[in-house]
Amino acid sequence: MTTSGRELQVAVCWSAGWTIYLSGELDAAAAAQMERVGAALAGARIAAADFDLGGVTFVDTTGWAILAAAMSTVEQSGAVTRTRNPSPSIR
């Protein structure tokens, strides 16, 4: 359940590499969406993906687990993943 009702938004962009921009709250409510993102990227057989956390306003332990699972799914296809640009509230 989100604390402020701000649903997770995901934008996937390619510009000299794949970047997945996340904004909003990363919690249990985001599980299905992050699962779809991970599966789509794994299916695309990309070389690398950055998960940009600059717009994330809230994350709980479930959110971290969901993000880790999505990144693991992408990595199982042979890609390298990393997080970048954590927002102040995430740091």
Side-chain angles (χ1 to χ4, degrees):
M1 182 167 159
T2 61
T3 57
S4 69
R6 185 156 180 243
E7 187 175 308
L8 183 72
Q9 300 296 310
V10 177
V12 180
C13 301
W14 188 87
S15 176
W18 289 100
T19 302
I20 298 80
Y21 294 95
L22 303 177
S23 62
E25 298 181 355
L26 186 53
D27 57 12
Q33 186 174 18
M34 288 301 295
E35 189 175 299
R36 286 190 302 271
V37 168
L41 291 169
R45 309 294 268 177
I46 63 174
D50 291 340
F51 287 78
D52 187 298
L53 306 177
V56 176
T57 57
F58 172 82
V59 65
D60 59 12
T61 55
T62 301
W64 285 119
I66 291 164
L67 177 61
M71 293 174 73
S72 178
T73 298
V74 177
E75 290 169 354
Q76 289 173 14
S77 72
V80 174
T81 65
R82 67 180 179 178
T83 58
R84 69 175 192 171
N85 193 29
S87 65
S89 61
I90 301 307
R91 257 183 263 141

